[in-house]
Amino acid sequence: CNLTSIKNFGLNKNSISITFDDGFADVLYKASPILSKLNIPFTVFVPPKLILEKNEYLSISELKELSKLDICTIGAHGYSHEPLTKFSLDDVSKEISYSKSWLEDATGDEIKYMSYPHGAVNNYIKNEVKKFDFISASSSKPGVNLAKLDMLELRRTAILSHDSLDQFISKINGEWDWTKWL
């Protein structure tokens, strides 16, 4: 689970978004019942190749079921889940477009949000994401998104199963943004 914190940003002042990467089946079976009961919206970023391989990931029917929840948004996460920075320029475009079109075909919904696989992003990749009309894209950089945020490189902070309540609260408050000290 990841949190995206936005401070002092228009009408969504001091808001938090809950996101999950990779499309693990436990999002449907463990997280979504709790989030649904509490009416907390969340986004799941899904790489189609992992869905097609199944393992501990959602099946296509489970992905469709999850996408039908009013509080769930499905987002792209590259096609193969490989870091986009490892691909040639042409292949970056294919990874993004195949991911978006496959997910749109599978869910019947427009895919407007993306998370960079492994957080790997550069300016070329951001420009490609923009070409495919994504509203926003999330990185793996920890921290809070302030008013002058880059919508194609949103910061997120990982929430881990072994985090204490104090760690969770400090992450929500943006205290785990190590980059501000660099």
Side-chain angles (χ1 to χ4, degrees), residues 12 20 23 28 67 85 133 136 142 152 161:
N12 295 323
F20 299 90
L28 176 63
S67 75
T85 52
D133 297 323
S136 69
L152 294 179
S161 62

Side-chain angles (χ1 to χ4, degrees), residues 20-31:
F20 299 90
D21 284 359
D22 305 338
F24 287 102
D26 64 355
V27 173
L28 176 63
Y29 296 109
K30 294 182 181 178

